[in-house]
């Protein structure tokens, strides 16, 4: 069936994000060889040229690199992957904050709410133990 | 490089005094692309496809395949799936494959049998005993088993179930050679959108839009399917 895409954004940016996510989560480990463009295109059920474009773009961020005859590999630079992970985390937080502010919560209220949620979680944990 | 298909000021009328089916169309299709030919009923999709396959003759303007006017030479490199079936229903699938193999030098028999197997179609079955959808699958298998430079598919997924649709689209993105172009007409835009490089919108026989899918999504902030519904709102 392929990967799931949002309707309102270019497909290649979404491919790029999903591959990036796989690298950050270790689905594709540092130094691992990526499947070929065709294999990836088939898996995602997308046009091979679009997949090619996404990979070329990822290459520009150095997260992956091409070895002339052997194919494409995930970087072995752990710091680079960590930075990327951190950047994605910050984006998630920003999205979350935006959604909460739309609900009318202030920054302080959000933090307090999260604290509360955390404590509740811990209490439930204790009851279970 | 010469475009695989080019229209130069191409017009086609069926009846004098009637609105032309194609009206001064200019198009260039490059190699190695998967291109959607989209438009409402009566917009000229099938007329364009028939002209490209020599089923209608060009009177006004030019249609070139690999730089040559449509003829024996161009038919050799074009694999065409018509909207209606033309196969002999009295033959079995196997006999039909043999017929295609005799007829087309570029026919890959092994590929055809492999696809039949994936779709669980019995090569010994007579065509007339197959369901409508299965007949369409057989026809598409025959067309995709050629090593052509241009595949022209008129509504290839309209009549088949969603699972077969996925298989067919998968065949299109994996099986064709990298320099070949696939031009497919369909109304099921959402289903094919992610496999297309670019789309052509036809409206009243004119090219309303010819752009890459991702450029459309980028510029409009919506899918090609959504844009189509907006542009052709009734």
């Amino acid at each position: 069936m392929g990967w799931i895409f949002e309707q309102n954004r270019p497909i290649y940016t979404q491919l790029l994000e999903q591959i990036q996510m796989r690298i950050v989560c270790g689905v594709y480990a540092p130094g691992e060889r990526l499947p070929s463009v065709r294999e990836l295109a088939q898996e995602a059920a997308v046009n091979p040229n679009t997949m090619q474009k996404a990979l070329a773009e990822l290459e520009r961020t150095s997260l992956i690199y091409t070895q002339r005859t052997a194919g494409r590999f995930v970087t072995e630079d752990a710091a680079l992957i960590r930075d990327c992970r951190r950047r994605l985390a910050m984006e998630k937080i920003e999205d979350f904050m935006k959604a909460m502010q739309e609900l009318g919560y202030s920054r302080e209220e959000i933090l307090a709410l999260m604290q509360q949620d955390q404590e509740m979680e811990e209490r439930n944990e204790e009851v279970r133990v | 490089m010469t475009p695989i298909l080019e229209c130069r000021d191409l017009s086609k009328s069926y009846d004098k005094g009637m609105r032309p089916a194609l009206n001064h169309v200019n198009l260039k299709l490059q190699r190695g692309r998967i291109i959607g030919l989209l438009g409402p009923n009566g917009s000229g999709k099938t007329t364009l496809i028939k002209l490209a396959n020599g089923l209608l003759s060009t009177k006004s303007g030019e249609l070139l395949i690999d730089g040559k006017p449509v003829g024996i030479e161009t038919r050799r490199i074009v694999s065409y799936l018509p909207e209606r079936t033309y196969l002999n229903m009295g033959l079995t699938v196997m006999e039909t494959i043999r017929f295609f193999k005799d007829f087309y030098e570029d026919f890959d028999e092994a590929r055809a049998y492999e696809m039949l197997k994936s779709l669980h179609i019995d090569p010994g079955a007579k065509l007339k005993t197959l369901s409508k959808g299965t007949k369409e699958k057989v026809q598409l298998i025959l067309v995709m088993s050629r090593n052509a430079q241009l595949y022209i598919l008129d509504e290839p997924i309209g009549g088949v179930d969603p699972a077969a649709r996925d298989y067919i689209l998968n065949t299109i993105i994996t099986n064709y050679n990298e320099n070949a172009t696939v031009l497919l007409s369909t109304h099921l835009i959402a289903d094919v959108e992610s496999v297309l490089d670019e789309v052509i919108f036809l409206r009243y026989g004119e090219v309303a839009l010819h752009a890459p899918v991702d450029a459309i999504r980028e510029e409009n902030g919506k899918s090609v399917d959504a844009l189509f519904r907006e542009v052709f709102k009734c």
Side-chain angles (χ1 to χ4, degrees):
Chain A
M1 228 355 263
W3 302 356
I4 308 285
F5 303 105
E6 289 168 31
Q7 291 299 303
N8 52 359
R9 295 193 300 131
I11 293 160
Y12 95 90
T13 26
Q14 300 185 57
L15 289 173
L16 189 155
E17 289 163 3
Q18 294 195 33
I19 297 167
Q20 193 170 255
M21 191 60 116
R22 288 174 174 211
I23 293 172
V24 163
C25 300
V27 176
Y28 300 138
E32 188 182 323
R33 184 178 177 278
L34 287 175
S36 71
V37 172
R38 272 200 171 220
E39 285 163 345
L40 280 171
Q42 185 173 6
E43 191 193 317
V46 298
N47 187 292
N49 294 327
T50 312
M51 183 56 81
Q52 174 75 33
K53 191 174 165 195
L55 292 173
E57 197 62 33
L58 262 183
E59 219 164 302
R60 292 204 318 144
T61 70
S62 304
L63 217 47
I64 61 176
Y65 65 96
T66 301
Q67 225 161 41
R68 207 168 292 166
T69 51
R72 283 195 173 79
F73 294 82
V74 177
T75 181
E76 280 151 42
D77 185 344
L80 199 68
I81 297 175
R82 216 164 38 232
D83 287 352
C84 181
R85 177 157 173 261
R86 170 114 189 147
R87 207 178 55 245
L88 290 177
M90 296 315 284
E91 283 171 20
K92 293 275 183 218
I93 291 174
E94 208 170 294
D95 289 346
F96 168 72
M97 284 298 190
K98 220 180 275 166
M100 289 298 278
Q101 276 156 3
E102 268 170 35
L103 283 172
Y105 286 95
S106 72
R107 249 189 123 72
E108 291 70 36
E109 284 172 323
I110 296 168
L111 289 174
L113 209 58
M114 286 173 70
Q115 187 74 36
Q116 216 176 337
D117 182 67
Q118 175 66 20
E119 281 162 14
M120 201 120 94
E121 193 97 331
E122 277 166 20
R123 221 170 306 141
N124 285 345
E125 215 40 45
E126 277 168 34
V127 173
R128 239 172 271 149
V129 173
Chain B
M1 209 155 41
T2 327
I4 188 65
L5 188 152
E6 184 174 5
C7 301
R8 292 185 188 154
D9 204 31
L10 180 68
S11 296
K12 176 76 191 176
S13 295
Y14 289 106
D15 236 328
K16 275 207 184 100
M18 292 284 284
R19 190 169 52 74
L22 288 178
N23 198 8
H24 302 285
V25 168
N26 286 290
L27 269 180
K28 271 186 194 168
L29 306 188
Q30 303 303 330
R31 287 157 200 277
R33 307 280 170 86
I34 304 174
I35 303 166
L37 183 60
L38 315 175
N41 302 108
S43 56
K45 302 187 296 290
T46 297
T47 299
L48 178 62
I49 286 175
K50 284 184 174 169
L51 285 168
N53 288 288
L55 298 178
L56 293 169
S57 57
T58 316
K59 297 259 165 55
S60 168
E62 277 183 294
L63 193 156
L64 305 174
I65 307 254
D66 193 25
K68 301 178 210 59
V70 176
I72 294 169
E73 196 126 332
T74 68
R75 257 171 235 152
R76 201 169 286 158
I77 61 170
V78 178
S79 190
Y80 167 47
L81 179 78
E83 54 178 349
R84 271 192 223 100
T85 176
Y86 55 88
L87 300 174
N88 180 346
M89 291 298 141
L91 298 181
T92 64
V93 175
M94 210 183 306
E95 285 163 344
T96 312
I97 287 179
R98 206 171 303 139
F99 178 72
F100 260 68
K101 202 176 148 233
D102 285 344
F103 211 80
Y104 295 108
E105 279 175 349
D106 61 0
F107 191 79
D108 183 344
E109 195 178 8
R111 198 197 289 172
Y113 278 108
E114 197 181 301
M115 285 197 260
L116 285 172
K117 204 169 147 209
S118 305
L119 288 171
H120 311 291
I121 298 171
D122 173 12
K126 275 217 165 76
L127 289 177
K128 65 177 163 211
T129 66
L130 302 175
S131 73
K132 181 168 172 280
T134 307
K135 274 185 208 126
E136 289 192 26
K137 287 178 201 169
V138 170
Q139 188 134 324
L140 189 82
I141 287 171
L142 293 167
V143 168
M144 293 311 290
S145 294
R146 286 184 55 196
N147 289 307
Q149 290 179 41
L150 176 61
Y151 298 87
I152 302 182
L153 316 175
D154 201 352
E155 275 291 350
I157 58 171
V160 302
D161 60 83
R165 218 169 272 175
D166 284 348
Y167 177 81
I168 289 166
L169 292 175
N170 185 40
T171 304
I172 290 174
I173 53 180
T174 52
N175 243 0
Y176 80 107
N177 117 26
E178 273 169 47
N179 294 315
T181 283
V182 180
L183 176 67
L184 63 98
S185 85
T186 185
H187 291 301
L188 300 165
I189 304 173
D191 279 9
V192 300
E193 192 164 340
S194 67
V195 312
L196 300 177
D197 286 286
E198 53 195 66
V199 294
I200 299 163
F201 277 14
L202 282 184
R203 175 167 50 189
Y204 303 131
E206 292 173 13
V207 177
L209 175 77
H210 180 191
V213 168
D214 270 348
I216 290 173
R217 284 173 164 244
E218 189 120 52
E219 275 164 34
N220 299 279
K222 55 174 71 106
S223 65
V224 173
D225 186 57
L227 182 69
F228 184 94
R229 285 165 201 263
E230 195 179 293
V231 169
F232 295 107
K233 193 160 189 286
C234 299

